[in-house]
Each structure stands twice: as C-alpha cells, then as structure tokens.
Amino acid sequence: MEFSCKDFKVGKCEGEKVVDGETMPLVLEPPVPNKSDLESLLLALENNKDWFEQMIIKNSAVLLRGYDVKNAEDFNEIVETFGWEDIRYVGPAPRTHIYKRVWTANEGPLSEFIYYHHEMVLIKEYPKKVILFCEIPPPEGGETPFVPSFKVTERMMKEFPEEVKEMEEKGLKYSFTARSTQNDNSSMRGRGWEDAFGTSDRKEAEKRAKALGMDMEWLPDGGVKTILGPRSLTKVFEGRKGRKMWFNTVVGMYGKEISSAMIADGTEIPEHVVKRCEEIIEEESIQFKWEKGDVLFFDNYALLHGRRPSLPPRKVLVATCK
C-alpha cells in the first residue's frame, strides 16, 4: 500500500489511472461501515490534516467516497476543518454563493463541455486547491475529467520543441470579452463584469483588474475587453518532483468568438499546434462517475479539470483555497 493511515481505507473507482506511480484519484473510504457519518469524517480529517494535504500533493486528486455528506453546510464543515485560507473566484463563469465558503460550480448550460483549465490560471493569485462536492449526481454524463498537467508539457515538448521554446521564452497574451454588466447563465462564460469584479464602478473595476494583472478596454455596448499578458506557458511548483506544469489556457481561449490566445509579441500560435495540444489533453484525461456525497480535492497546481456535458439534474458545489 502506498501510504498508511488507520482512519481511512483505500478504495477504487472506475476510471482511475496510475500516473508516474501514483493513483489518480486516490479514493479514501471509511475504515469501517459505522464510521461513515459526518462527525467521524471530520474527526478523521482533523487528526490527519498534514497527512491528508500530503496525499493531495502526492496523488494530485483525492476522492472521499462513502461518507454521509448531505449538503452545502456539511461540505463547508469539511473545507473549514483544514484551516486553509479562502480565495475569491475571479473569472468568466457564472456562479452563485450558497453558504459561507461554498459556491455553485459553473452554472452555464449542462449541454456544454467546459474545457480543461487550471482554476484562475490567468490571475496573479490562483487557488492551491479546488474542492468539489456532489450533492446531486447527474443521471448521465456530467463527469469532472482531469488531466495531469506535466504529462501535457512532456508530450508537447517532445512533439513541438521549437514552438514550445518560443512560447516559453516570449510568454503568452490573452484577451477576453465580458459583453454585459449582468450575468448570462445561458453561457458558460456569461459572468458580467460587475459580478466578476464585485463593483458597478468602472474606476474601481479598473483598479481591481490592475491588481489582478489585467488591462481593460471599455466597449460601446457596456461590456469590457480584458487583456492579460505576458503570462507563462508552464510553471514548476515546489514539492511536485520538479514537474513542469502546462499552466496556461491556450487551447481554451484560442480563436474563440469572445477570447484569444497568442504569443506575447503578437505572433499567432500555429493552429495545428493548438489542435494537437487539444488532442493530447484529451488523451491524458482521467474521469469517474460522480456519486452522491462525493468530495473531491484537486491540487490546482498539478491538474487541469473540466466538465462533460450532462443530463439534468446535476448539482456540484465548489470551494477554492489558497
């Protein structure tokens, strides 16, 4: 067994993979059936906080399964057990605050695929951990696939060494347009700028955007175009075996109607490079079927994640932590 902790039993889930010697996700279950209640789980987490955090770093994804976690209040208690600092979400996804540190995940249409990304990858301060709770599992689809980021870097460097070198040396530049002041839940990127920046005052929005590393251009229709760059193509984070993470959102923003991705000096990224990267990311993806009460911990430094199209209902809640 790859670790030892008497308060958890290692389980399995359909779709798990062994990557570089580590199981993703690492499934942790109650050690005995009568320890599946929330109180027992909170005690186990409290007694093993440091160990549990090391498991998140070691395996990149840890799935708590088989516990009686019912709602946002229960989920919030789990999140707060660790004492990790909260970080406010900044990005285009429409979300609703539910309870204390708990929010809805992207409220865009369930019929749409949310592309793989590191959470808040373009912002100067991004979460270290993303924690998801499944309150209502979808009847079909709706998985949250994830990708070991270093595997993408390895394969892209092997297939496109010159292109990767250029992007590494020059950096990347992105743009994104928020078309309205109000949220539009008919789009997975329909968050209005007022909600995104927490203010209706343009000057204050510009100030907050600047603090996050963004420039803004106001549009005649009341929307705003944000410009971000230069940004890194990859990053190496302490404690993760020196792995070079594919810490960007080139594929997700390249050539879209409301977004763009290019080399920081304005040079276009070759389309075939982006297309092949998209294929590699999908080939390296890992996914499992959500079950009611699942709580999933992601190392946001190490994993890209997305959302498969789904039939309703689906209710997955999220918390993000420094």
Side-chain angles (χ1 to χ4, degrees):
M1 190 172 288
E2 55 190 280
F3 72 96
S4 176
C5 181
K6 63 182 177 59
D7 293 324
F8 296 97
K9 180 180 76 173
V10 176
K12 286 187 172 296
C13 70
E14 185 179 349
E16 69 180 37
K17 289 184 184 178
V18 177
V19 180
D20 202 21
E22 308 296 354
T23 303
M24 298 183 187
L26 174 64
V27 181
L28 298 180
E29 299 175 343
V32 291
N34 66 352
K35 293 287 188 179
S36 64
D37 60 287
L38 180 66
E39 188 175 345
S40 295
L41 172 58
L42 294 173
L43 183 61
L45 294 174
E46 178 66 39
N47 290 337
N48 299 280
K49 282 192 284 192
D50 292 341
W51 171 84
F52 194 91
E53 184 160 15
Q54 285 306 306
M55 291 302 102
I56 298 171
I57 294 172
K58 177 171 166 290
N59 293 75
S60 300
V62 176
L63 175 63
L64 292 175
R65 173 163 282 180
Y67 291 96
D68 190 23
V69 186
K70 294 188 178 72
N71 51 39
E73 289 80 1
D74 292 352
F75 177 44
N76 187 76
E77 284 201 64
I78 292 169
V79 174
E80 292 194 338
T81 295
F82 294 96
W84 298 326
E85 191 176 348
D86 190 37
I87 185 167
R88 175 184 164 85
Y89 171 73
V90 177
R95 292 182 171 181
T96 300
H97 181 241
I98 300 296
Y99 178 79
K100 292 188 176 178
R101 296 179 62 166
V102 179
W103 293 71
T104 59
N106 192 318
E107 294 180 358
L110 290 176
S111 59
E112 293 186 32
F113 175 48
I114 297 174
Y115 196 70
Y116 300 99
H117 58 284
H118 290 275
E119 198 71 23
M120 292 166 56
V121 64
L122 299 182
I123 309 302
K124 281 185 175 179
E125 187 177 28
Y126 32 79
K128 188 175 182 180
K129 302 170 191 73
V130 175
I131 312 170
L132 300 162
F133 161 59
C134 181
E135 186 170 347
I136 302 174
E140 183 180 316
E143 298 90 351
T144 300
F146 59 92
V147 177
S149 196
F150 79 98
K151 296 293 289 183
V152 183
T153 308
E154 286 180 350
R155 293 181 61 181
M156 287 295 290
M157 290 178 72
K158 186 176 181 179
E159 292 192 31
F160 302 102
E162 293 304 317
E163 291 86 348
V164 168
K165 182 182 178 184
E166 183 180 12
M167 290 188 283
E168 287 264 54
E169 290 177 350
K170 295 181 178 179
L172 301 167
K173 181 169 69 174
Y174 304 89
S175 71
F176 180 81
T177 300
R179 289 178 168 164
S180 173
T181 58
Q182 302 303 312
N183 289 350
D184 176 12
N185 286 0
S186 68
S187 169
M188 64 181 181
R189 288 181 167 181
R191 194 180 192 195
W193 65 263
E194 289 187 4
D195 184 30
F197 295 106
T199 180
S200 58
D201 182 271
R202 289 191 175 194
K203 291 294 184 187
E204 182 61 26
E206 289 173 6
K207 180 181 174 183
R208 295 179 185 183
K210 186 64 87 173
L212 294 166
M214 302 179 188
D215 291 319
M216 301 176 79
E217 293 179 6
W218 296 102
L219 304 176
D221 62 1
V224 66
K225 181 179 181 180
T226 56
I227 301 160
L228 306 95
R231 292 289 189 272
S232 301
L233 180 76
T234 63
K235 283 187 182 292
V236 176
F237 295 99
E238 185 180 353
R240 288 156 182 82
K241 300 183 179 180
R243 292 167 171 168
K244 188 175 280 192
M245 307 302 181
W246 192 252
F247 211 73
N248 64 75
T249 184
V250 166
V251 177
M253 294 183 71
Y254 178 88
K256 303 295 191 296
E257 185 181 355
I258 59 172
S259 67
S260 69
M262 63 187 68
I263 297 173
D265 65 2
T267 305
E268 289 293 332
I269 303 168
E271 186 176 359
H272 73 280
V273 174
V274 180
K275 291 293 185 186
R276 180 60 185 141
C277 184
E278 183 175 7
E279 292 171 355
I280 289 171
I281 289 172
E282 188 58 55
E283 289 164 10
E284 294 292 339
S285 67
I286 300 167
Q287 66 182 29
F288 64 93
K289 295 288 186 184
W290 281 113
E291 293 184 6
K292 183 177 175 60
D294 281 351
V295 180
L296 178 63
F297 294 75
F298 280 151
D299 179 357
N300 188 49
Y301 291 178
L303 297 177
L304 302 124
H305 70 278
R307 187 196 72 189
R308 298 280 186 213
S310 167
L311 291 179
R314 179 189 189 270
K315 189 174 184 182
V316 174
L317 304 180
V318 65
T320 47
C321 306
K322 294 184 180 178

